[in-house]
Amino acid sequence: MPVVVVTDSSSRLPEAVTERYGIRQVPLHLTIEDKDYREGVDHIPEDVVSTPGVTTSGANPSELTEYYESALEASEGAGVVAVHMSRKLSGTWSSARLAAEKFSGQVRIVDSRSVGLAVGFTAIAAAQAAADGADRDRVYESAIRQAATVDSLLCVQQLDNLRQSGRISAAGKLFGSALSIKPILHMVDGTLQLKERHRTFSKALDKMVDAAVESAGGRAVTVGVQHCETPDVAADLLATLRNRLRMVTSELTVDLGPILGSHVGPGSVGIVIAAHLEPIEGLGED
């Protein structure tokens, strides 16, 4: 059996893709009025991204231990590579390290240094390597390589969620108090930082596309568009990217979901550019 890849629900991978590659997703947690919900498992109220007082938390060591143990058993000794969201954004990575200590090196933990589909693409890179027969160490190296090269950009409509979440870096002070500022954010070494700011959302979207095209650099790339309750904007953005990019090997559009959505707020939309991925199997099967 090949190495089994585990990730967390921040990866936003659709079920058809996780089933095709055998990727296992550990749920993150969201709390509303002292009630705990597991993302991707429990039914979460639809208006949660606009609900004040929502808190989120990562997977705990006992949950991760359970998932790793099951994955290791399924691998029949080949091992497990776990790809999780940035350690600077969540406690999940630290919990993963604690859980992995129980398995005597059979479980290797990857800090994706990102969040959202960038985590998902890193997990897919690992799973593709595993499907090609790579051993645990080479699967781990494939994930590390992908994590180091994937580029993730995000435009937000309003700043309240970001301010309240505490997930924005010190660069967030550059937003100022002007409500009209529409920032372009990007992931830099595991933290969300300000790349540019514009007066209108349409201008910010145009500039984000320019940045994505520059990141692709004429290479064949996998493209992800992720959004919070704005499927029409995401569809238009993907159509624009198809026209602007030289070669798209695979494309994927996903909703950011309740946990990431609660941090970035309604109307947010982002682009993820990844090179080095084989065409993704399972797309269009949901």
Side-chain angles (χ1 to χ4, degrees):
M1 291 292 291
V3 173
V4 174
V5 176
V6 177
T7 186
D8 55 65
S9 61
S10 76
S11 67
R12 306 310 303 154
L13 293 177
E15 184 177 355
V17 173
T18 58
E19 287 187 351
R20 179 62 63 90
Y21 289 103
I23 298 171
R24 304 181 179 213
Q25 292 191 109
V26 184
L28 303 180
H29 294 260
L30 183 146
T31 303
I32 308 172
E33 297 180 349
D34 297 326
K35 184 174 181 179
D36 179 76
Y37 296 87
R38 296 165 297 169
E39 187 174 45
V41 177
D42 301 321
H43 175 72
I44 298 175
E46 294 182 0
D47 62 348
V48 67
V49 299
S50 302
T51 302
V54 171
T55 59
T56 63
S57 58
N60 62 51
S62 63
E63 290 174 301
L64 291 158
T65 297
E66 180 180 342
Y67 271 81
Y68 296 163
E69 188 171 30
S70 175
L72 190 58
E73 182 178 347
S75 79
E76 298 180 354
V80 172
V81 172
V83 178
H84 293 297
M85 66 188 294
S86 170
R87 73 179 81 178
K88 297 179 181 179
L89 298 177
S90 168
T92 298
W93 182 88
S94 295
S95 295
R97 294 280 292 183
L98 288 174
E101 290 177 358
K102 302 179 181 180
F103 298 100
S104 303
Q106 294 176 295
V107 178
R108 299 205 65 179
I109 307 299
V110 176
D111 178 358
S112 69
R113 300 193 295 179
S114 198
V115 71
L117 271 179
V119 181
F121 287 167
T122 300
I124 289 173
Q128 289 178 341
D132 289 340
D135 63 18
R136 182 179 61 248
D137 291 341
R138 287 191 293 147
V139 170
Y140 172 83
E141 290 164 3
S142 295
I144 292 294
R145 182 167 56 251
Q146 186 63 66
T149 57
V150 68
D151 199 5
S152 186
L153 302 151
L154 179 72
C155 286
V156 298
Q157 286 271 28
Q158 47 84 23
L159 305 178
D160 291 343
N161 291 67
L162 275 174
R163 287 194 178 109
Q164 294 169 10
S165 74
R167 294 307 200 276
I168 188 68
S169 73
K173 66 185 180 182
L174 299 177
F175 291 163
S177 59
L179 295 179
S180 61
I181 292 296
K182 307 301 179 186
I184 301 175
L185 307 172
H186 65 154
M187 294 299 304
V188 179
D189 193 26
T191 62
L192 195 60
Q193 297 189 13
L194 178 67
K195 182 177 179 66
E196 299 177 21
R197 53 182 182 171
H198 299 278
R199 290 291 178 182
T200 67
F201 192 62
S202 60
K203 182 68 171 178
L205 289 178
D206 289 343
K207 291 297 185 180
M208 183 169 65
V209 169
D210 290 344
V213 172
E214 182 179 357
S215 174
R219 299 171 295 173
V221 293
T222 298
V223 176
V225 175
Q226 46 195 0
H227 67 90
C228 183
E229 301 180 347
T230 54
D232 293 342
V233 174
D236 290 344
L237 192 61
L238 182 58
T240 300
L241 288 165
R242 287 194 197 107
N243 291 330
R244 293 283 306 277
L245 293 169
R246 182 177 179 183
M247 184 181 299
V248 175
T249 57
S250 298
E251 59 187 46
L252 181 58
T253 301
V254 300
D255 191 288
L256 282 164
I259 289 184
L260 299 184
S262 69
H263 288 292
V264 300
S268 299
V269 62
I271 300 171
V272 181
I273 299 291
H276 315 303
L277 278 180
E278 300 170 12
I280 299 174
E281 299 178 7
L283 297 180
E285 297 182 13
D286 274 339

